[in-house]
Structures are given as C-alpha cells and as structure tokens.
Amino acid sequence: MDLTNRVALVTGGGRGIGQAIVMRLAAAGAGVIINDIDQASAESVAAQVQATGRPSLAVVADVSDAASVAKMMETALAALGRIDILVNNAGITRDRIILRMTDEDWDKVLDINLKSAFLCTRAVLPGMLKQRWGRVISLSSVVGICGNPGQVNYASSKAGIIGLTRAIAREVASRGITANALAPGFIDTEMTQKIGESVREEVKKRIPLGYLGSPQDVAEAVAFFASPEACYITGQVLSVDGGMAGAWW
Ligand code: NAP
C-alpha cells in the first residue's frame, strides 16, 4: 500500500479516528493536509507528520461552510499542489430522542457530517478528473446502516454518506476515481468516551468480537481504499465494526 508522492486531505484530522488516518497515510508515504476546526490539534498532528519526513499542512476550516471549504482548498493547493485522496472524516453527534430534537440539532449534524462531504468532494473533484486518478473515502457508521434510538440526525447523516458515496462512484468511475465508505462500529475515541461506562459495557455485549475498535483499525481500512491495490473497488461500504452490523437485530 505505497502512497509515495500522493497527497491526502483528511477533514477533522486533529484527533480520534482522523488523527489515526493522517498518521497511517503518512506512514504509507503520502503528504497530508490536516483539516480541523481546532487550530492547536491540527497543528500538533501536522508536526507529527512532519517528523516522519512527509510534507504536511494544517488548515483550520469549518467543513460545513462553503466559503471556509473554498478557502481551505485554495490554501491546500497553493501549498502542496494537488489532492489525490480525500477523507471525509469530520463528524459530530447531538443525541436526543426525536420528540426532543431541535431543528438546530438536526441542521448542525447534517451540515457537519453530510453537507461537508458534498462540499469537500465537489471541491477536490476537478483536480482528480484532470489527472484521472483520485480516491474519495467517507466515514459512515454502523448507525447509518442499522439506525439507533436517540440518533435520528446522526443516523440520517451517516445513511446519507452511503448514498453520496454510491452516486459519486457512478459519476466519476470512468475517470479513474473511486469513492468508498467505511462504516465503523463503536471505536474508542472522545466521541464514544462521552457516552458513559455503563452504556459502553452494554454496547460491548452487542459486538461479536467483544471489544471496542481502535482508531487504528479504521485507519488501516482507509489506507487500503486509498491504495493502488484497491483500484477496482468503488461504491462500497466496508464495515469495521467487530461484526456488529451483522449481529444488530
Ligand atoms: P472525534 O474524536 O469527535 O473527532 C472529530 C474531529 O472532527 C475533531 O477533531 C473535531 O474537532 C473535528 N470537527 C468537528 N466539527 C468540525 C468541522 N465543522 N470542521 C472541521 N472539523 C470538525 O470523532 P471520531 O470518533 O474520531 O469520529 C471520526 C468520524 O468517524 C466521524 O465522522 C464519526 O461520525 C465517525 N464514526 C465514529 C465512530 C466512533 O465510534 N467513534 C463510529 C462510527 C463512525 P474538535 O476537536 O474541535 O471538535
């Protein structure tokens, strides 16, 4: 899985799964642009990449905002000249049962989790189309496949990622660009640490492998989709969930 001379952009790359993806792609030889809404974490991860000898750049931007995305792409292309691999990773949760969910809870989650993927993909595609090579890899979730109480906003955004991925895959397949999605189960990051120990123990019972995944587990699958070896795979959703989606019901 050699990515030498490739350049990747990872959204929400400042911590958690995004950070692991950044470091894994750099280990495979790619230069990496680290986007995050938080400057300190983006810069810290960029410095870690730099220490491996790969080019890197931290770009602070809110990926749910079209103007921010346009500015981010301008900065990224000016610095590194190209984007070969886009990883749509930034995401949030705002959990509440539907009867208590506000319009703002819905809009915020759909904007950051789904609209961001539309905006970033639309922005990187012209360069990929020109060079006739590209990889668009987006983070869905087991919840986008199976649903989850308290998460109608999050589940809808993650199901939307699957539709977006499959539509993009068909639109650009003839130009050497693939689009795939990952559906992680419960991965041990700040996002899942906030759910509380008792709920985490309950969740473990629903995972056939019996433990939460690590950000590294997801990063390995991203590296595969990004690699030349995955050239004939597009429009797919790969579960990285310890068997959870298959055992959900
Ligand atoms: P995380 O630890 O909360 O990290 C998310 C990152 O995205 C943070 O660095 C965050 O910045 C950044 N971010 C949030 N809003 C942003 C915005 N508007 N623009 C740019 N960056 C933004 O989450 P994670 O667990 O690593 O999850 C990464 C992705 O995997 C998400 O799409 C998530 O839905 C998906 N996923 C996670 C799990 C899981 O179990 N953890 C399971 C399935 C899918 P701040 O630090 O400033 O907030």
Side-chain angles (χ1 to χ4, degrees):
M1 296 199 277
D2 183 10
L3 298 176
T4 308
N5 295 328
R6 296 291 182 196
V7 175
L9 165 63
V10 181
T11 70
R15 67 166 200 233
I17 293 171
Q19 179 179 10
I21 293 169
V22 169
M23 298 313 295
R24 182 64 185 85
L25 295 179
V32 191
I33 299 149
I34 298 107
N35 154 265
D36 206 277
I37 201 152
D38 181 69
Q39 183 163 2
S41 57
E43 282 175 358
S44 149
V45 177
Q48 290 168 43
V49 172
Q50 212 99 48
T52 71
R54 308 294 176 203
S56 74
L57 175 74
V59 191
V60 176
D62 174 356
V63 285
S64 66
D65 177 71
S68 293
V69 168
K71 204 156 160 242
M72 169 174 80
M73 293 301 168
E74 211 177 284
T75 309
L77 289 173
L80 288 165
R82 55 193 291 155
I83 297 168
D84 304 293
I85 301 156
L86 168 67
V87 185
N88 290 312
N89 166 78
I92 61 162
T93 52
R94 278 215 184 172
D95 300 351
R96 263 186 246 275
I97 58 164
I98 186 165
L99 294 177
R100 297 222 178 98
M101 191 168 284
T102 65
D103 295 4
E104 213 240 328
D105 293 331
W106 173 269
D107 289 342
K108 197 89 191 149
V109 169
L110 268 290
D111 283 353
I112 294 178
N113 295 9
L114 182 57
K115 186 180 176 193
S116 64
F118 158 66
L119 293 173
C120 292
T121 306
R122 187 179 60 177
V124 298
L125 276 181
M128 291 181 179
L129 288 167
K130 214 181 261 173
Q131 68 187 20
R132 292 186 166 261
W133 199 95
R135 299 278 190 264
V136 178
I137 302 160
S138 304
L139 272 288
S140 177
S141 165
V142 64
V143 164
I145 298 170
C146 302
N148 203 25
Q151 292 198 308
V152 290
N153 50 359
Y154 185 78
S156 302
S157 73
K158 294 300 178 180
I161 286 286
I162 295 173
L164 175 118
T165 297
R166 293 193 167 137
I168 291 165
R170 284 170 177 266
E171 279 194 26
V172 298
S174 65
R175 307 293 185 89
I177 302 165
T178 66
N180 291 291
L182 293 160
F186 272 76
I187 309 298
D188 197 6
T189 67
E190 283 184 41
M191 184 180 270
T192 46
Q193 278 152 18
K194 66 185 181 198
I195 67 176
E197 202 44 50
S198 62
V199 181
R200 277 158 68 93
E201 285 310 312
E202 275 311 303
V203 164
K204 272 190 209 164
K205 292 182 193 154
R206 303 214 309 256
I207 306 172
L209 282 178
Y211 58 92
L212 269 65
S214 71
Q216 192 64 35
D217 296 330
V218 181
E220 293 298 336
V222 171
F224 172 64
F225 276 142
S227 72
E229 286 83 355
C231 63
Y232 204 57
I233 302 172
T234 195
Q236 300 305 303
V237 183
L238 180 63
S239 290
V240 183
D241 65 356
M244 204 176 177
W248 189 274
W249 297 112

